[in-house]
Amino acid sequence: MKTLKIALIPGDGIGPEVVSEGVKVLKTIEKLDPSISFSFTEFPWGCEYYLEHGKMMADDGIEQLKEFDAIYLGAVGYPGVPDHISLWDLLLRIRKEFDQYVNLRPITLLNPTLTPLKGKTAKEIDFLVIRENSEGEYAGVGDWLFKGKTEEVVLQTGVFSRKGTERIIRYAYEEARRANLTLTSISKANALNYSMVFWDQVFDEVGKEYPDVQTYSYLVDAASLYFVTEPERFEVVVTSNLFGDILTDIGAAITGGMGLATGANINPERTYPAMFEPVHGSAPDISGKGIANPIAAIWSVSQMMDYFGEEKWGEVILSTIKEILNEKEALTSDLGGQASTSQLGNRFVELLSAKVSEVGVSLE
């Protein structure tokens, strides 16, 4: 039996509510598949922890997390704690300490009724954004000079190392080759005459090793337009940290909203654990009401199963999401239903169990 150790950081706002439903799915998999078991350890880190202890996580938190196979994060952020503290002292700290330099955001239309784009189908909205996850504008490099004076100056430096740029671009080329898909690079070299010129140069250099991969390059403003008007242009996308952050929210909008947005933070060398998360935020305005949509958190479990080499489970979870999206009464209010968070989760595991039984999924 494969025993996988999962660190749970439910976090803030609706985080604990949606993570609970994801854990429900993992426990169902454990019941259905005799070859897999999970152990869960929950950590109380987040904004409430910060208000009590003056820090977002324990001093030895990174050392504690090293022992796990994966981290399952709910959400970070809550009123009363500045966003730059909640983000930098927990989520970004984990990403950086564990060198999770690959961020995977699937932009996939799971149900044709969910897109606001007229006439677009699931076939036309189905691509993967590979976002550089460790440097760029999020490297935390800069300065704040002459605070409060008329000469006040703020510097935010984008960091693009040869190592960091080449490894994310190479990862994207490998993914495009493996899946036999096109690869699109998104940058802004006409205006950012150092960082993005360098990005484009590395993209071309690495591309010489992958003559079988068809490539495209767009400026980020044009790409933003095409995400909305012609999403069918994209199959695999690689872009920088900041641009990826913005573009993937556009991607979420065209596939049904942030309640369906998921992300994986990966260290491909597996020196450190990966982290999986719904990326909808903590939504404090609906926290505790039992109406949060847990589908993104469940989709995160699908990504986790893929990471563990259990792709069949990843596929079954994703197909079950597609199935439940056809049951309006089983959905939460943001998707037009009236179900609670836990009711949706309960129905999901019913469908998952039935699907495994019906199709006789091979679990070997």
Side-chain angles (χ1 to χ4, degrees):
M1 179 181 289
K2 182 194 296 184
T3 301
L4 300 165
K5 297 187 292 183
I6 312 296
L8 303 177
I9 308 178
D12 309 313
I14 63 172
E17 300 171 51
V18 298
V19 163
S20 178
E21 302 312 307
V23 170
K24 191 180 292 182
V25 173
L26 287 165
K27 289 182 176 179
T28 300
I29 292 172
E30 189 175 48
K31 290 178 183 177
L32 295 170
D33 189 343
S35 70
I36 305 174
S37 71
F38 301 100
S39 67
F40 302 99
T41 303
E42 185 170 327
F43 297 91
W45 303 330
C47 289
E48 286 188 28
Y49 187 88
Y50 175 85
L51 292 173
E52 183 177 349
H53 301 279
K55 49 195 171 187
M56 289 292 294
M57 64 189 301
D59 291 336
D60 65 343
I62 295 298
E63 286 300 316
Q64 292 186 53
L65 293 175
K66 281 181 181 178
E67 304 302 316
F68 291 86
D69 297 299
I71 302 162
Y72 191 22
L73 175 70
V76 179
Y78 213 76
V81 178
D83 287 342
H84 67 280
I85 290 176
S86 60
L87 184 66
W88 273 95
D89 292 357
L90 184 62
L91 176 61
L92 292 187
R93 183 181 172 193
I94 292 171
R95 284 179 178 173
K96 291 176 183 297
E97 294 276 358
F98 288 155
D99 201 20
Q100 296 168 344
Y101 63 87
V102 174
N103 183 263
L104 301 176
R105 288 281 297 272
I107 309 300
T108 303
L109 181 60
L110 299 178
N111 188 292
T113 66
L114 296 175
T115 183
L117 302 184
K118 183 178 179 181
K120 296 299 181 183
T121 66
K123 184 177 180 180
E124 294 167 309
I125 307 176
D126 185 14
F127 58 97
L128 175 68
V129 176
I130 299 174
R131 167 190 172 193
E132 202 291 316
N133 210 32
S134 65
E135 47 182 46
E137 290 78 10
Y138 293 6
V141 177
D143 209 344
W144 199 322
L145 307 174
F146 314 116
K147 275 191 178 183
K149 299 180 180 180
T150 56
E151 300 88 354
E152 192 167 25
V153 176
V154 174
L155 306 174
Q156 190 78 48
T157 303
V159 175
F160 289 80
S161 68
R162 165 69 64 172
K163 175 184 176 181
T165 303
E166 185 172 313
R167 67 184 182 178
I168 192 66
I169 287 174
R170 188 175 300 281
Y171 183 96
Y173 269 106
E174 288 287 342
E175 177 62 24
R177 171 181 279 176
R178 183 195 64 79
N180 193 28
L181 298 172
T182 64
L183 175 61
T184 300
S185 171
I186 297 175
S187 69
K188 186 63 176 172
N190 60 341
L192 303 177
N193 57 327
Y194 293 107
S195 61
M196 292 287 97
V197 169
F198 176 68
W199 176 281
D200 286 354
Q201 176 184 315
V202 174
F203 184 74
D204 290 342
E205 288 175 3
V206 175
K208 292 175 182 176
E209 302 174 35
Y210 298 85
D212 52 315
V213 177
Q214 184 175 358
T215 63
Y216 302 91
S217 294
Y218 296 124
L219 298 176
V220 67
D221 41 350
S224 300
L225 172 71
Y226 294 141
F227 263 47
V228 176
T229 60
E230 300 178 54
E232 61 271 18
R233 285 177 179 253
F234 305 104
E235 293 183 340
V236 178
V237 172
V238 64
T239 191
S240 64
N241 211 333
L242 177 60
F243 293 164
D245 194 358
I246 297 167
L247 286 168
T248 51
D249 276 13
I250 297 176
I254 67 173
T255 56
M258 294 304 292
L260 299 173
T262 184
N265 305 276
I266 305 294
N267 172 255
E269 294 76 20
R270 301 192 179 225
T271 309
Y272 304 104
M275 179 165 59
F276 302 87
E277 54 171 329
V279 294
H280 46 53
S282 59
D285 56 321
I286 62 170
S287 173
K289 297 181 179 180
I291 60 172
N293 181 355
I295 289 180
I298 292 170
W299 197 344
S300 298
V301 174
S302 174
Q303 288 188 295
M304 190 187 297
M305 291 299 100
D306 288 343
Y307 174 78
F308 286 145
E310 300 291 338
E311 290 88 354
K312 289 181 179 178
W313 274 117
E315 291 171 7
V316 171
I317 292 169
L318 198 56
S319 65
T320 306
I321 293 175
K322 293 178 181 178
E323 185 175 344
I324 202 170
L325 287 171
N326 288 315
E327 296 188 5
K328 188 67 72 174
E329 69 280 0
L331 303 177
T332 45
S333 58
D334 62 307
L335 295 175
Q338 297 183 339
S340 68
T341 306
S342 61
Q343 286 171 337
L344 192 161
N346 290 340
R347 178 56 180 157
F348 186 90
V349 296
E350 285 179 8
L351 291 171
L352 182 71
S353 301
K355 184 179 291 290
V356 171
S357 176
E358 287 170 14
V359 303
V361 176
S362 174
L363 302 176
E364 296 181 358

